[in-house]
Amino acid sequence: QPNGYQGSDGSIARCVRLLKRELKQNQQEVSIPLFYRPGEAYQFDWGDMCVYLRGKLTTVYVAAIELCHSRAFYVRAYPCQKQELMLDAHRKAFERFGGSCRRGIYDNLKSAVKDLLKGHHRNLQEKFIQFTAHYLIEPKFCNPAKGNEKGRVENLIKFIRNNFFVPIASFASLAELNDRLASFAISICRRKIHPESSSLTRYDVYLQEQELLTPLPRYGLACCRPAMAIVTTSSLVFFDNNRYSVPAEYV
């Protein structure tokens, strides 16, 4: 044995396990308050909510985007969480804000991330790469199971659920729901005092931040999912487990 050690390998392994256990017990997770400059970043998340649509209890999925500096936010409800709808929410939010941010903060949602790689690296979806490049956004992703790393939008989802969707509201259509959500977002921003100011509302701070947002490109990116389809002799195409009728000349 080297250095004159006469014990077994098992004894060393046992000591290593004990040391690792002690070191792990002494570790404490520390939360560091984050500071965001105007136009620096936004956070995105989904939330599932229950509403009555045309009298039927329905689950809708609410996309929420919050500007990290001013706390201004945009919300829109969709029937599902498909990638094209996630990108559509971003485009509509940027057009409402009058610009985008330099960074976007996400969890590891499938519509953006194909695979988790070693460390902080991600294999991203092609359409998501195209979208972020079009709007000059650098995407940043939380560590797995660390939703607190985008705590502002997480808290926003809870706030929307408790203050808009409770008790369960009734709407004639998804369009009516989204009109009400848009009015709700504006009223909250105009009414709530910004947490870092005693006299300015979120809307006041947003007006200051708006001047420093990344300008939008001349044309918005089409938020859709292109696919090749063959028209049947019955003038139908099949897409995403659905059948759609098309003009007969396309057969």
Side-chain angles (χ1 to χ4, degrees):
Q1 296 285 353
N3 300 322
Y5 177 68
Q6 300 298 319
S8 66
D9 293 340
S11 298
I12 297 176
R14 188 162 52 250
C15 290
V16 170
R17 284 197 301 271
L18 291 172
L19 286 171
K20 284 184 176 180
R21 192 179 305 163
E22 291 178 4
L23 289 172
K24 190 173 183 179
Q25 289 175 350
N26 291 331
Q27 288 178 349
Q28 291 186 357
E29 196 172 86
V30 178
S31 298
I32 301 175
L34 297 179
F35 172 80
Y36 295 96
R37 293 182 296 274
E40 178 184 355
Y42 65 83
Q43 296 180 4
F44 172 85
D45 201 9
W46 286 103
D48 55 298
M49 314 290 179
C50 289
V51 295
Y52 286 104
L53 284 182
R54 294 177 291 276
K56 182 180 179 182
L57 185 62
T58 306
T59 299
V60 295
Y61 300 90
V62 174
I65 296 180
E66 181 172 355
L67 300 178
C68 293
H69 175 73
S70 64
R71 312 294 182 96
F73 64 92
Y74 177 85
V75 285
R76 188 173 182 84
Y78 293 94
C80 60
Q81 299 183 31
K82 292 182 179 180
Q83 184 190 61
E84 56 268 31
L85 302 183
M86 184 265 282
L87 299 180
D88 179 73
H90 280 70
R91 176 177 171 173
K92 285 182 168 59
F94 298 156
E95 291 171 354
R96 179 65 60 87
F97 293 146
S100 62
C101 295
R102 295 183 289 277
R103 291 193 294 128
I105 302 173
Y106 303 86
D107 56 19
N108 298 284
L109 62 170
K110 286 294 184 181
S111 52
V113 178
K114 281 184 182 178
D115 302 294
L116 295 174
L117 304 178
K118 188 175 181 180
H120 293 282
H121 300 288
R122 305 288 188 273
N123 185 14
L124 302 182
Q125 302 282 1
E126 287 82 1
K127 187 69 175 181
F128 183 73
I129 295 173
Q130 182 184 2
F131 184 88
T132 53
H134 187 78
Y135 287 96
L136 304 178
I137 299 165
E138 180 186 4
K140 293 292 185 181
F141 297 93
C142 302
N143 289 306
K146 291 291 184 180
N148 60 295
E149 294 179 3
K150 54 175 180 56
R152 294 189 182 183
V153 73
E154 294 268 353
N155 291 332
L156 174 62
I157 290 291
K158 294 177 184 177
F159 178 84
I160 295 169
R161 177 177 286 111
N162 294 333
N163 292 274
F164 186 90
F165 289 95
V166 176
I168 300 177
S170 180
F171 303 94
S173 65
L174 199 62
E176 181 189 347
L177 167 58
N178 282 321
D179 287 343
R180 293 276 298 277
L181 278 171
S183 300
F184 173 78
I186 293 172
S187 65
I188 292 298
C189 290
R190 288 182 180 275
R191 180 164 48 87
K192 287 183 72 75
I193 297 297
H194 194 275
E196 297 172 7
S197 172
S198 59
S199 59
L200 298 177
T201 64
R202 293 186 180 194
Y203 188 77
D204 295 331
V205 180
Y206 156 70
L207 292 178
Q208 299 172 1
E209 182 177 26
Q210 188 180 34
E211 300 177 0
L212 298 173
L213 294 175
T214 303
L216 296 178
R218 185 174 180 182
Y219 300 103
L221 189 69
C223 301
C224 60
R225 179 155 48 106
M228 296 293 294
I230 297 175
V231 183
T232 69
T233 55
S234 303
S235 300
L236 297 174
V237 294
F238 293 87
F239 175 73
D240 200 19
N241 298 321
N242 293 302
R243 292 181 295 179
Y244 300 94
S245 61
V246 297
E249 59 263 29
Y250 293 121
V251 173

